[in-house]
Structure formats: C-alpha cells, structure tokens
Amino acid sequence: MQRYSALAVLWGGLTGQTHWKPVWGRPEPKGHYDVIIVGGGGHGLATAYYLAKEHGITNVAVIEKGWLGGGNAGRNTTIIRSNYMIEGNTEFYEHSLKLWENLSQELNFNVMFSQRAHVSLVFSAAERDATARRYNLMRLNGIDGEFWDPAELRRRIPHLNYDQGRFEIFGAYVQPRAGTARHDAVNWGYARAATALGIDIIQNCEVTGFIRRAGALIGVETRRDGVAGEIYADKIGLAVAGHTSVLAHKAGLGKLPLETHKLQAYVSEPIKPIVDQVIVFGGVGHFYISQSDKGGMVFGGDLDSYNSYAQKGNLPVYQNVMAACMQILPCLGRVKLLRQWAGVMDMSMDGSPFITKTDIPGLYLNAGWCYGGFKATPGSGHTFAHTIARDEPHWANARLTLERYREGRLIDESGHGPVPKLH
Ligand SMILES: Cc1cc2nc3c(=O)[nH]c(=O)nc-3n(C[C@H](O)[C@H](O)[C@H](O)COP(=O)(O)OP(=O)(O)OC[C@H]3O[C@@H](n4cnc5c(N)ncnc54)[C@H](O)[C@@H]3O)c2cc1C
C-alpha cells in the first residue's frame, strides 16, 4: 500500500502529483471465497479489513450492489459517542469509541475524527435526575461523562435560545470524548486498507439469492452489471443495514425483529463557526446538530415513522426538524438549507443491534443499527470479523444476539419497547 504522509504530499507537490495510484480496483469475482461479506457500507468494509488484519483471512470478497458508501455509511450525520447505560451496549460502544481514537493511524487515512463533545440538553428536573443516573452508571463503567450547569453551558455555547419560557434549559450532560468523523473517509480508509491486505471489493453486484447444500449456505446468487452469476463461500456475513429483512428472508432466517424506516439529514450553506460540539435537543421530539469542517450546519431528527425502502424522506418530518431548530437555535433562521437526503434504517425492536452467528450454518448477521450504526463502524467490523473467524462472539458483542428476543433479555436502552419510531 502506498503510504500517506506529509513527506509524500511534499514530494507529490514537487513532482507534479504523478505518484497517486488508485487505492482499490475492479476485481473479477473468484469462484470461491473463504468469506463473503454482503454490503459495502462501513460495517462490511470494516469487517473485511479486520478479517484480514486480525485473523489472517484474506480470501474475502465484499459484495456491494451499488457503490462504496452509497448507503447509510455515506448519508449519516456522523455522530460518534458511547454514552450508553445498559450492559451489552455499554461495552460494545465503548470498545468502538476506543477503536475510533486510533483509527486514522491504524488505516493511515485521515478519517477526521474530532472529539468535540456530545452535549445532551435537559429541560426539567426529572430529566436531569434520570440522565444523572445514566451518566453515573457510565462513569462506573469507565466511560467519560459530566454535567454542565446552565452557567457553564451559556459560557460554552452562547447561541442557544436560553431566554424562552417554553423549554427552560436545566443544563446538559456531556460526553467530552464523543464527536464526529468524515463518513466518506471512513469508508475509503477501510476500503483502501482492506484492498491492500488482498480483499476483493466488488461493486455494482447485487446479491439476489443464496445457494444451499444440506441446509447450509454455500454461496450467493448475484447480478453484476446486469449479468447473473454465482459465487461460492465457506461463510457469508450480511451487513446490509436497512435491507437486512429482505435478504435474511431469502436466506431462510424468517421474520427478524426489525423494521425498515428512513431517516433524513440536512445540511445548510457554510457559515462561520458557531457550534463547536454536537448538540442534542429532546425538548420537541428529537433534534441533533453539529457544524462540519466546511462550515455547513449538519442536522437531523426523528425517523419518518412509516416503513419504506425509499432513500428519500417526506415533508412532515422536515417541518418538525426545522421547528426544533428554530426553537433551540433561532439564530439559524435566515441560513439557507443546501441539501437534504435520507437513508434506509434497520430499526430493531429494542433499539439495540445484533452481531451474531445464526441457526443457518454458514450465515452470520450484523444488523439492527437504528439511528446509531455509524459510531459503531469500527466496533461492528472488529467484533463481526471475530465472530465469523472464530465461530464465537468477541467479549464486546457477546450480548448482541438474536436469542435475547427469544429469551426476553432485551437491551432496551430507551425503555420504549418494540416501537422503532421511539428508539
Ligand atoms: C440520515 C442518517 C443519519 C444518521 N446519523 C447517524 C449518526 O449521526 N451517528 C450514527 O452513529 N449513525 C447514524 N446513522 C446510522 C448509520 O449511518 C447506519 O446505522 C450505518 O451506516 C449502517 O451500517 P453500514 O454503514 O454498513 O450501512 P450501509 O452503508 O447502508 O451499508 C449497507 C450496504 O449494503 C448494500 N446492499 C443492500 N442490499 C444488498 C444486496 N442485496 N446485495 C449487495 N449489497 C447490498 C447497500 O447498497 C449498502 O451500501 C444515520 C443514518 C442516516 C440515514
């Protein structure tokens, strides 16, 4: 792999930038792989990378129906945090955050991970007390967290709408190590590093079905650039986010505890720096905002609450998000919206993911990411690779099983039960 460094940039500047080489190619699929990962989003690419790097399994293909990062991996608002309270999520997301902290060095690719703090505003004494419980439990589990009282908050974020009667701000709970990263860079970084370790990344290739022998999955049926084909593998891992239920059904897994919804995101025209952190406002529904390095305000809200596979959202949610924005940051009222888009979410019934072996020999499942799978990308890839390579979970994903639904051991972080819209 061509190593990126300041010296290489300097050398490129002196020699006419002729030294850059493509970092992944267009390989012809082989007839057989040790492992096929379906889905070239962040999770699929990270899984392939860790299979090669940590387990020496390099005869691996990542099969993507569109282009790398064209799904949720390239559509999210890039919030990264590990402020979870319940066992299962706690250890998994903190494991993931620790991997983020060294990811640019690990991949030799600047993923622009910026630990700018995640600030959750609270609006009543009851909410303050309930969130204190969460943050105290986090701290007992070794996860950073602190409380900013209203004076501290005003000092750090002066532009919030403090002088309004409707949603009095009682302070904020903060995870200082949380932040954002550049989503495309994460996909490209993993794709480049995986390719360098010998992984085949096959784009424009949809998995349309599965090949079975004696109850086990032994390969996938594909449509690549419009042409049907078959690729065989010892093990197949699904990392297809919002399309999980469709593919899992084809694989014979039956009905999963998942619903597919879409989630919208918005970005404004670039403005001067105004918000240094990620701010979350739950006063009216759900609203979160940060500012990109280019200056655009990046924000989002709730799911569109009906099931759909369309990668576009509808106006009612749009209206709610803008109303929330005006409530908490009215200074943005005259800023122009530049773009809006949506992704297809795999909402699980307890709001937590699963990374697990399945009852079907040869099939492994990675899904249920809801609103929060971007932050999970390194942890998900790392533990899914471990699960596939060793046929047993990593300690960090040991509780993220499908059995928990059968046995009633839900990891219901928000306590909302099987109502995807509320997670
Ligand atoms: C608007 C929005 C905002 C979000 N904000 C955040 C956030 O701030 N923080 C956070 O942590 N998370 C966030 N998320 C969630 C996060 O983006 C996802 O949970 C995560 O990206 C899912 O994992 P992935 O990257 O592997 O998924 P994807 O990138 O969706 O990858 C799945 C891939 O599978 C491919 N695929 C599907 N079917 C097939 C098939 N049959 N054959 C081959 N390939 C197939 C798709 O084309 C896709 O590329 C957000 C999501 C959206 C949409």
Side-chain angles (χ1 to χ4, degrees):
M1 179 167 73
Q2 184 182 17
R3 216 178 144 69
Y4 294 163
S5 66
L7 208 59
V9 173
L10 186 66
W11 178 248
L14 295 174
T15 56
Q17 304 292 355
T18 50
H19 66 304
W20 301 106
K21 297 192 186 76
V23 291
W24 62 84
R26 284 180 56 87
E28 279 301 310
K30 298 179 200 163
H32 177 270
Y33 289 94
D34 295 342
V35 181
I36 285 177
I37 303 295
V38 188
H43 292 217
L45 293 166
T47 305
Y49 167 73
Y50 291 115
L51 274 171
K53 187 192 163 229
E54 304 266 319
H55 306 281
I57 302 174
T58 56
N59 186 26
V60 176
V62 177
I63 302 189
E64 165 56 47
K65 74 172 176 178
W67 67 96
L68 293 190
N72 296 336
R75 291 167 183 267
N76 61 77
T77 43
T78 81
I79 301 170
I80 295 164
R81 56 187 172 86
S82 67
N83 54 351
Y84 286 81
M85 183 175 81
I86 298 186
E87 267 186 327
N89 282 337
T90 311
E91 64 270 28
F92 173 76
Y93 284 104
E94 180 59 13
H95 178 59
S96 195
L97 185 54
K98 287 194 172 126
L99 291 172
W100 275 109
E101 286 175 329
N102 195 39
L103 196 59
S104 293
Q105 290 77 6
E106 160 105 25
L107 300 178
N108 178 228
F109 200 101
N110 187 2
V111 300
M112 297 168 74
F113 180 43
S114 157
Q115 292 180 288
R116 58 181 66 183
H118 179 273
V119 179
S120 305
L121 305 175
V122 290
F123 296 93
S124 68
E127 189 183 7
R128 187 185 53 203
D129 293 350
T131 319
R133 177 172 168 255
R134 162 183 291 262
Y135 273 68
N136 284 333
L137 273 167
M138 280 162 50
R139 289 170 64 129
L140 286 174
N141 283 317
I143 302 169
D144 60 318
E146 57 193 45
F147 181 70
W148 291 355
D149 64 21
E152 173 79 351
L153 194 57
R154 233 179 231 268
R155 193 177 67 73
R156 305 254 200 167
I157 316 179
H159 301 292
L160 293 180
N161 191 5
Y162 293 101
D163 304 312
Q164 39 131 1
R166 192 162 176 214
F167 297 106
E168 187 187 346
I169 301 177
F170 277 63
Y173 284 91
V174 180
Q175 186 180 23
R177 284 164 60 241
T180 58
R182 170 83 200 276
H183 45 24
D184 293 325
V186 176
N187 300 315
W188 298 334
Y190 273 121
R192 169 174 172 267
T195 303
L197 293 172
I199 308 290
D200 283 354
I201 298 174
I202 301 163
Q203 302 183 64
N204 295 316
C205 183
E206 179 172 3
V207 169
T208 53
F210 294 90
I211 307 167
R212 289 182 176 73
R213 186 188 299 141
L217 292 194
I218 57 161
V220 292
E221 295 165 347
T222 59
R223 183 166 299 280
R224 178 169 175 246
D225 295 327
V227 181
E230 291 183 343
I231 311 175
Y232 290 81
D234 299 338
K235 297 181 174 182
I236 299 167
L238 297 187
V240 291
H243 296 89
T244 302
S245 27
V246 179
L247 271 187
H249 186 71
K250 286 185 180 171
L253 266 185
K255 198 164 159 47
L256 292 176
L258 278 180
E259 279 186 19
T260 295
H261 289 256
K262 60 244 190 114
L263 179 64
Q264 306 189 41
Y266 313 85
V267 67
S268 78
E269 62 182 336
I271 55 174
K272 287 190 176 168
I274 178 174
V275 170
D276 294 337
Q277 306 83 355
V278 176
I279 302 174
V280 181
F281 168 51
V284 280
H286 194 186
F287 175 75
Y288 36 93
I289 188 162
S290 65
Q291 190 162 17
S292 78
D293 294 340
K294 280 194 285 187
M297 304 307 298
V298 180
F299 54 101
D302 265 324
L303 298 169
D304 280 46
S305 54
Y306 54 95
N307 302 135
S308 170
Y309 294 95
Q311 281 183 325
K312 60 177 182 153
N314 267 318
L315 287 175
V317 168
Y318 187 105
Q319 198 169 19
N320 290 348
V321 171
M322 298 311 148
C325 182
M326 285 307 89
Q327 190 68 49
I328 201 67
L329 281 164
C331 58
L332 295 180
R334 292 170 69 88
V335 173
K336 292 192 182 67
L337 197 65
L338 208 61
R339 284 180 287 127
Q340 169 273 348
W341 63 89
V344 183
M345 319 300 303
D346 40 335
M347 301 300 296
S348 68
M349 291 300 119
D350 60 358
S352 298
F354 29 91
I355 301 177
T356 182
K357 219 174 138 171
T358 71
D359 293 341
I360 300 177
L363 181 65
Y364 301 77
L365 194 61
N366 172 319
W369 293 105
C370 303
Y371 293 81
F374 179 66
K375 68 173 106 68
T377 305
S380 165
H382 192 250
T383 57
F384 197 34
H386 182 107
T387 306
I388 294 172
R390 305 208 182 170
D391 270 319
E392 61 182 25
H394 185 272
W395 58 262
N397 69 318
R399 289 186 168 81
L400 304 181
T401 60
L402 276 171
E403 278 76 46
R404 72 175 189 264
Y405 295 98
R406 287 186 203 129
E407 296 165 4
R409 289 183 289 104
L410 300 187
I411 308 177
D412 193 355
E413 190 79 31
S414 312
H416 288 313
V419 186
K421 181 186 170 310
L422 298 178
H423 285 290

